[in-house]
Amino acid sequence: MSTALRFGALYLLALLLLLGLGHRNQVEKAHLARMKARLEALELREEALLKEGWRASRPERVLTWAEKEGFVPMSRGRWAR
């Protein structure tokens, strides 16, 4: 009888260990999925910001901004005396 109880206790202990490991695996999988979704959103945001930066630094946009701020382009500044 005591052998059956010992094996029963070991069996229950093994089941609890498997249950704990399975639960931890599910939690880590959910956390990884959230991290991947956040990474994808951040990559899309980075791409949008890079495109916006490229658009903002086009020569004609820089020239209109500079003229609006009162800067004179060098090509015109050399001849203005």
Side-chain angles (χ1 to χ4, degrees):
M1 182 74 171
S2 65
T3 305
L5 288 176
R6 239 183 269 144
F7 280 120
L10 286 174
Y11 181 73
L12 285 176
L13 186 63
L15 282 178
L16 285 174
L17 178 66
L18 285 176
L19 180 71
L21 288 175
H23 177 68
R24 180 177 177 201
N25 188 24
Q26 285 180 349
V27 169
E28 286 184 0
K29 187 176 179 181
H31 183 64
L32 180 62
R34 285 194 307 271
M35 286 175 53
K36 283 184 178 180
R38 179 156 165 73
L39 178 63
E40 186 176 327
L42 288 173
E43 285 174 348
L44 289 174
R45 174 114 170 98
E46 178 187 20
E47 185 178 338
L49 287 172
L50 284 172
K51 285 181 181 178
E52 183 181 333
W54 281 105
R55 272 189 247 114
S57 64
R58 289 193 333 230
E60 60 270 3
R61 294 275 309 262
V62 174
L63 180 62
T64 57
W65 172 83
E67 288 174 345
K68 185 174 72 175
E69 294 292 321
F71 294 106
V72 177
M74 286 182 65
S75 59
R76 290 191 207 154
R78 271 189 248 152
W79 307 109
R81 287 191 180 198

